[in-house]
């Protein structure tokens, strides 16, 4: 391209949309590189991602296969198009979990604290119209400001979970959701037309990054969106600065170059690491800016498991139809810090409604919960590149990940606490359903980890590569520790903090 932009943002999802809005509002000339396309309302994720490239990954038995998921979603708006809108703030402990991780883990400490993100959480929550109650979470942060819109009412399933939690002496509270309870910013309240998870909202009640942030920003003359465009590699004329991004138009298979003053990684922790690793040259044989050799390392997911059962005293008539509406209305964080849990750091339990009852057997109402924990940031868990090539000519991605023994025990502990909730409801046919997180999940963290030491981190506290003046990481790759709740809101808040610093 003949045009020279102020900033090139690679990815249009949770972080990319925020970076674009912030810098465009400040007058920067922005170009967004997005591999996916615009998504029609009501679309299911399977119809979008069925043809997307897969990564090499290990199954639960350790065997390798080309069955990994290196995407949350390849689409304008990224994975937020198909997420459930769950919008937790991270807890104080998530920013410094040093005393709770294994001795062989990488340093989990962020170079910032919760208080550094608090004002940016407030802004993002306002942009999205997040519903919930910050004061209802028993593990709310010691410092913090802000208020959310009125919480959603509990679903039929959520009400049973809330009641059972109370009986067990727990303190359940409404799950914070980026889903309208009533008309907001020109979009209606949720009308339960589809399941939130895996569907693009048919009416815009769910505040995905495209609808709320990127779509209005694209009306500006200083914003250019390149769809169906694959970011292939960075190129340099001197070792401390990126000059161009080589891209491929996936419609024509033609290659071209984007020139910009700044470049921002905003795809996801897997895709961003892979882009850096395949950008090699005379100065950086292991990937641009990869002085520490840590790009790709510390790949972290959320270890998770679904636990379900049938409560027969509550008839539900539509057992064989997709369950429509909110994925989660109630959450429990009483085990977030738990001395009985191995290491003392537990996690989250929340209502996690299935998107259909296919394969379910029983009578009454089907209850499904999910328990999730932050896994150990391990040097050995990493994104690598294969010798095999994709159709675009770039190396296929390898998700080299194995669950740490500490995390197996921690997750088992959380599963038992979840089963206790179902037993309190009188549920029958209780069973565990795997989430297959180890194949690559929607919760991706840690491959360009932030820190103050150039030998043990990749970027500084503002996301700038230690050794590349104009390259930034603003997605989940920034995170040195995964945190114990859904990361999207934190990724968005941190991206806004990074963008405002860039604009100084």
């Amino acid at each position: 391209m003949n045009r020279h932009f102020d900033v090139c943002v690679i990815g249009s999802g949770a972080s990319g949309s925020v970076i674009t809005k912030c810098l465009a509002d400040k007058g920067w000339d922005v170009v967004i590189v997005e591999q996916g396309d615009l998504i029609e309302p009501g679309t299911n994720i399977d119809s979008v991602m069925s043809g997307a490239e897969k990564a090499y990954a290990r199954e639960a038995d350790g065997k390798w296969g080309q069955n990994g998921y290196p995407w949350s979603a390849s689409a304008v708006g990224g994975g937020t198009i198909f997420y459930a809108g769950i919008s937790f703030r991270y807890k104080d402990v998530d920013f410094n979990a040093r005393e709770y991780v294994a001795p062989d883990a990488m340093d989990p400490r962020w170079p910032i604290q919760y208080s550094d993100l608090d004002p940016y959480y407030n802004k993002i929550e306002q942009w999205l119209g997040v519903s919930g109650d910050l004061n209802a979470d028993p593990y709310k942060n010691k410092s913090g400001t802000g208020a959310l819109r009125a919480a959603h009412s509990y679903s039929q399933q959520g009400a049973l979970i809330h009641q059972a939690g109370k009986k067990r002496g727990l303190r359940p509270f409404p799950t914070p959701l980026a889903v309208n309870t009533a008309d907001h910013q020109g979009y209606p309240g949720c009308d339960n037309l589809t399941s939130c998870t895996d569907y693009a909202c048919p009416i815009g009640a769910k505040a995905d990054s495209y609808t709320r942030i990127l779509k209005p920003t694209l009306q500006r003359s200083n914003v250019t969106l390149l769809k169906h465009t694959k970011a292939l590699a960075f190129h340099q004329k001197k070792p401390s600065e990126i000059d161009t991004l080589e891209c491929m138009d996936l419609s024509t298979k033609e290659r071209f170059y984007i020139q910009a003053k700044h470049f921002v990684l905003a795809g996801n922790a897997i895709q961003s690491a892979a882009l850096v690793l395949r950008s090699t040259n005379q100065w950086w044989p292991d990937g641009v800016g990869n002085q520490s050799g840590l790009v790709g390392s510390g790949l972290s997911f959320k270890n998770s498991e679904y636990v379900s059962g049938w409560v027969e005293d509550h008839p539900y008539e539509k057992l064989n139809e997709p369950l429509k509406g909110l994925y989660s209305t109630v959450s429990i964080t009483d085990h977030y810090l738990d001395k009985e849990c191995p290491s003392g750091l537990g996690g989250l339990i929340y209502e996690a409604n299935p998107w259909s009852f296919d394969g379910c057997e029983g009578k009454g109402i089907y209850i499904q919960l999910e328990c999730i924990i932050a896994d150990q940031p391990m040097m050995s868990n990493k994104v690598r590149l294969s010798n095999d090539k994709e159709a675009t000519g770039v190396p296929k991605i390898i998700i080299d990940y194995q669950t740490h023994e500490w995390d197996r025990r921690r997750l088992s502990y959380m599963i038992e606490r979840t089963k206790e909730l179902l037993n309190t409801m009188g549920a029958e046919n209780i069973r565990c359903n795997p989430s297959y997180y180890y194949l690559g999940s929607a919760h991706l963290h840690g491959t360009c980890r932030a820190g103050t030491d150039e030998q043990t981190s990749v970027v500084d506290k503002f996301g700038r590569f230690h050794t590349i003046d104009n390259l930034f990481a603003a997605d989940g790759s920034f995170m040195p520790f995964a945190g114990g709740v859904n990361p999207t809101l934190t990724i968005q808040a941190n991206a806004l903090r990074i963008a405002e610093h860039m604009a100084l």
Side-chain angles (χ1 to χ4, degrees):
M1 300 181 70
N2 294 326
R3 190 168 169 185
H4 196 288
F5 296 91
D6 291 318
V7 62
C8 174
V9 181
I10 301 108
S12 66
S15 58
S17 59
V18 170
I19 292 283
T20 297
K21 172 178 168 52
C22 179
L23 296 180
D25 286 350
K26 295 180 183 298
W28 286 37
D29 195 8
V30 183
V31 60
I32 311 161
V33 174
E34 170 55 56
Q35 184 165 331
D37 198 357
L38 290 166
I39 303 301
E40 289 294 323
T43 300
N44 180 271
I45 190 172
D46 290 340
S47 65
V48 174
M49 297 303 294
S50 58
E53 63 264 32
K54 294 289 185 68
Y56 289 105
R58 289 187 182 91
E59 291 282 4
D61 60 6
K63 293 182 179 179
W64 286 95
Q66 197 169 341
N67 49 11
Y69 295 92
W71 297 100
S72 298
S74 178
V76 178
T80 68
I81 298 294
F82 303 106
Y83 81 150
I86 295 172
S87 299
F88 287 101
R89 296 185 178 201
Y90 272 23
K91 317 299 182 187
D92 288 315
V93 67
D94 293 323
F95 296 91
N96 185 3
R98 178 67 268 180
E99 65 179 289
Y100 301 105
V101 300
D104 56 342
M106 303 173 80
D107 191 345
R109 292 174 293 184
W110 289 48
I112 61 172
Q113 300 176 358
Y114 169 81
S115 58
D116 295 307
L117 277 190
D118 181 68
Y120 301 103
Y121 277 127
N122 290 335
K123 290 182 180 179
I124 297 295
E125 287 163 348
Q126 291 170 9
W127 289 3
L128 302 180
V130 175
S131 62
D133 185 349
L134 292 175
N135 293 317
D137 185 341
Y139 277 98
K140 61 181 179 290
N141 294 299
K142 295 177 181 178
S143 62
T145 59
L148 307 181
R149 292 169 57 81
H152 286 269
S153 299
Y154 291 142
S155 67
Q156 186 176 199
Q157 295 87 346
L160 289 173
I161 296 166
H162 179 268
Q163 183 181 37
K166 286 289 191 180
K167 285 182 179 179
R168 297 199 61 81
L170 304 176
R171 295 162 289 178
F173 61 96
T175 303
L177 296 171
V179 180
N180 288 352
T181 52
D183 290 1
H184 179 61
Q185 295 180 347
Y187 292 96
C190 177
D191 204 19
N192 297 327
L193 298 176
T194 65
S195 167
C196 273
T197 301
D198 283 8
Y199 283 89
C201 185
I203 57 175
K206 181 170 66 179
D208 62 74
S209 291
Y210 172 70
T211 301
R212 292 295 197 278
I213 301 173
L214 192 57
K215 185 177 180 180
T217 304
L218 289 172
Q219 305 305 310
R220 302 180 64 104
S221 60
N222 59 332
V223 179
T224 301
L225 172 63
L226 301 179
K227 300 177 294 181
H228 299 295
T229 301
K230 176 77 172 181
L232 301 178
F234 293 114
H235 294 279
Q236 300 175 266
K237 293 180 181 177
K238 54 184 179 180
S240 62
E241 184 175 289
I242 304 296
D243 289 289
T244 60
L245 173 68
E246 182 181 0
C247 298
M248 176 180 285
D249 183 327
L250 296 179
S251 300
T252 65
K253 307 305 179 186
E254 294 181 356
R255 297 190 178 211
F256 63 95
Y257 296 84
I258 295 174
Q259 301 177 76
K261 296 178 183 177
H262 305 86
F263 295 84
V264 181
L265 298 168
N268 64 46
I270 293 177
Q271 295 292 341
S272 291
L275 173 57
V276 173
L277 290 172
R278 62 178 180 253
S279 301
T280 60
N281 54 48
Q282 59 181 316
W283 301 293
W284 302 107
D286 298 319
V288 295
N290 192 13
Q291 174 178 274
S292 63
L294 293 176
V295 172
S297 295
L299 173 65
S300 299
F301 303 137
K302 293 291 197 305
N303 295 184
S304 65
E305 188 99 350
Y306 298 103
V307 186
S308 63
W310 288 91
V311 180
E312 294 190 6
D313 292 340
H314 297 269
Y316 191 71
E317 296 177 356
K318 300 180 180 179
L319 297 182
N320 298 315
E321 293 184 10
L323 182 65
K324 297 177 180 179
L326 301 174
Y327 177 70
S328 179
T329 62
V330 62
S331 297
I332 295 170
T333 57
D334 291 272
H335 302 292
Y336 212 83
L337 288 176
D338 187 336
K339 294 180 180 178
E340 301 299 319
C341 182
S343 88
L345 183 63
L348 171 71
I349 299 172
Y350 61 3
E351 174 188 13
N353 289 314
W355 20 115
S356 79
F357 283 115
D358 293 343
C360 299
E361 297 176 356
K363 296 179 180 179
I365 183 169
Y366 182 71
I367 306 290
Q368 180 169 275
L369 299 106
E370 184 177 11
C371 45
I372 65 175
I373 61 170
D375 60 358
Q376 311 295 310
M378 301 301 298
M379 179 80 75
S380 57
N381 289 338
K382 61 180 64 178
V383 173
R384 298 193 287 113
L385 300 181
S386 170
N387 292 325
D388 295 342
K389 305 288 186 181
E390 297 286 358
T392 55
V394 302
K396 291 183 179 180
I397 292 171
I398 299 171
I399 300 173
D400 193 350
Y401 175 92
Q402 291 182 298
T403 303
H404 196 282
E405 180 56 32
W406 276 33
D407 295 332
R408 294 184 191 279
R409 290 190 281 121
R410 292 170 58 227
L411 184 57
S412 293
Y413 178 85
M414 294 300 296
I415 290 170
E416 291 306 310
R417 304 293 76 74
T418 307
K419 286 180 178 179
E420 289 172 353
L421 277 169
L422 288 166
N423 283 323
T424 301
M425 298 177 209
E428 299 181 355
N429 299 324
I430 296 175
R431 60 188 180 188
C432 293
N433 309 301
S435 69
Y436 304 105
Y437 65 85
Y438 43 83
L439 297 178
S441 71
H443 299 171
L444 307 172
H445 328 73
T447 57
C448 295
R449 57 187 3 249
T452 56
D453 185 343
E454 295 186 12
Q455 300 305 311
T456 58
S457 61
V458 177
V459 302
D460 66 18
K461 69 177 183 178
F462 294 112
R464 188 196 302 268
F465 272 60
H466 289 307
T467 50
I468 305 291
D469 295 336
N470 64 338
L471 180 60
F472 296 79
D475 54 20
S477 67
F478 174 99
M479 298 177 167
F481 184 66
V485 293
N486 306 55
T488 304
L489 188 74
T490 299
I491 290 172
Q492 292 169 312
N494 191 48
L496 182 56
R497 183 185 66 88
I498 289 171
E500 291 198 352
H501 177 76
M502 290 177 65
L504 292 177

